[in-house]
Amino acid sequence: MTDRKDDFIFGLRPVIEAIEAGKTIDKIFMQNALQGEIYHELKQLLAKHKIRPNYVPVEKLNRFTRKNHQGVVAFISDVPFETIQDVLPQLFEDGKTPFLLILDRLTDVRNFGAICRTAECTGVDAIILPEKGAAPINSDAIKTSAGAIYNIKICKEKNLAHTVDFLQQSGVMVYAATEKASKLVYDADFSVPCAVVMGNEETGISKEVLHHSDEKIKLPIEGKTQSLNVSVACGAILYEAVRQKIISGN
C-alpha cells in the first residue's frame, strides 16, 4: 500500500515498516478513533520515536488517496530532521557565530524550497520549523531548492515560542520580520549570533512568536503594493546580513 507520487505511504503495516527502517517522517495523518492491534503497535512506535500524529477525519485521508489507506497516511522526507537544542551548542563549539532562520507556519512548498536555496547561499546555519503547520519537505521542495536543502540543517520544534526563548537564553538575538515594525532591517545588527523569523504567507508571524522576539524589523516599501512575497523578502533580509558581514570582515 505505497504511493510515491506525492512522497507518501499509507496503510498501517507499511507505515510501521517505514519507521522501523529509519525513514524520516515529515507528517503523519491518522483517522480519529482507530482501533485494533496493529494500530496500537503503530501508536507505540510513534511514541517511541517522538513522532506526533495529526488526528483527522477520514475525509481528509481520502483526499490524499482513494486506495485502502486503513486510516493512516505518512509523508516521507529524504531530509533528516534535527533539534536546535543539539545544533546550537555545536555551532558555538565550532567557533561559529550562529545565523539561524525560523519559518513560522510557512505553507507553500515552492516558497519553502526557494528560501532554503537562498538560506544556504547566504550561510544560514540552520532552518527551524514547527512540527505542525509547515510546508511538507517533499520532492517539490527539494527540486525548488536546487538540492540546497541537503546542505543545511533542518530543525523541527514542537513550540516555536519556546524555541525563541531557548535561543535568547543561549545568547541569540531574535529578529521578527513584520510589516508592523518601525525599525528597518538595515538598522539591525546581524554580526552577533542571531535568528530571523519569517511568517506565514497570509497571516505573518504568530502573535506568540512575535511577542517573544527581541526586535521587529521590516523592509522599506516604496510602491503601492504593500507587501513582498515571503521568499523575496527573506532573500532581501538574508543578503543584508551578508552585506554587514562583508563590511565587518566576519
Side-chain angles (χ1 to χ4, degrees):
M1 297 180 188
T2 60
D3 188 333
R4 293 293 177 181
K5 181 180 179 182
D6 293 306
D7 305 301
F8 67 81
I9 58 176
F10 54 88
L12 290 164
R13 185 56 64 186
V15 172
I16 288 173
E17 291 175 354
I19 296 171
E20 289 180 335
K23 298 291 185 182
T24 301
I25 304 298
D26 186 7
K27 298 176 185 293
I28 183 166
F29 296 90
M30 297 176 66
Q31 183 179 336
N32 293 318
L34 279 181
Q35 298 293 329
E37 184 178 341
I38 301 178
Y39 163 69
H40 288 292
E41 181 183 345
L42 172 59
K43 193 172 181 181
Q44 289 175 352
L45 194 61
L46 293 174
K48 177 182 177 182
H49 290 271
K50 298 181 180 179
I51 301 171
R52 300 174 66 211
N54 298 278
Y55 292 100
V56 297
V58 67
E59 289 80 10
K60 178 156 187 170
L61 298 175
N62 291 339
R63 288 199 291 271
F64 294 135
T65 179
R66 286 293 180 177
K67 297 179 182 178
N68 183 18
H69 50 66
Q70 298 179 315
V72 58
V73 173
F75 286 80
I76 305 297
S77 173
D78 290 333
V79 179
F81 299 137
E82 304 189 48
T83 67
I84 195 60
Q85 288 81 3
D86 292 331
V87 170
L88 187 61
Q90 189 61 54
L91 292 174
F92 281 119
E93 286 177 21
D94 292 342
K96 290 188 174 182
T97 301
F99 184 31
L100 310 170
L101 179 61
I102 302 172
L103 302 180
D104 184 6
R105 300 166 300 119
L106 200 77
T107 58
D108 187 277
V109 171
R110 290 179 176 81
N111 272 339
F112 173 71
I115 286 173
C116 287
R117 184 174 185 174
T118 303
E120 202 279 331
C121 288
T122 53
V124 169
D125 295 300
I127 295 176
I128 302 169
L129 309 172
E131 284 186 358
K132 293 187 177 183
I137 303 178
N138 56 22
S139 57
D140 282 342
I142 293 168
K143 183 178 180 181
T144 308
S145 79
I149 196 170
Y150 289 121
N151 300 318
I152 192 167
K153 294 184 183 298
I154 304 294
C155 301
K156 280 209 165 185
E157 302 297 337
K158 183 177 179 180
N159 186 304
L160 287 187
H162 292 169
T163 300
V164 168
D165 288 341
F166 167 76
L167 293 175
Q168 291 166 330
Q169 290 164 11
S170 302
V172 177
M173 184 79 170
V174 180
Y175 293 109
T178 171
E179 299 160 12
K180 301 173 183 177
S182 56
K183 184 173 185 174
L184 290 178
V185 62
Y186 313 115
D187 297 321
D189 182 4
F190 294 110
S191 67
V192 300
C194 65
V196 175
V197 187
M198 304 298 298
N200 174 271
E201 293 90 343
E202 299 296 329
T203 59
I205 299 170
S206 65
K207 290 182 180 179
E208 187 178 18
V209 173
L210 203 59
H211 175 72
H212 282 248
S213 299
D214 289 301
E215 289 189 5
K216 302 177 184 65
I217 57 173
K218 68 177 181 180
L219 288 163
I221 299 293
E222 300 295 332
K224 294 181 180 179
T225 305
Q226 293 301 305
S227 64
L228 291 165
N229 168 276
V230 65
S231 173
V232 174
C234 186
I237 293 170
L238 296 183
Y239 267 100
E240 167 58 18
V242 171
R243 185 192 70 83
Q244 290 188 19
K245 290 175 183 179
I246 291 173
I247 292 174
S248 65
N250 291 338

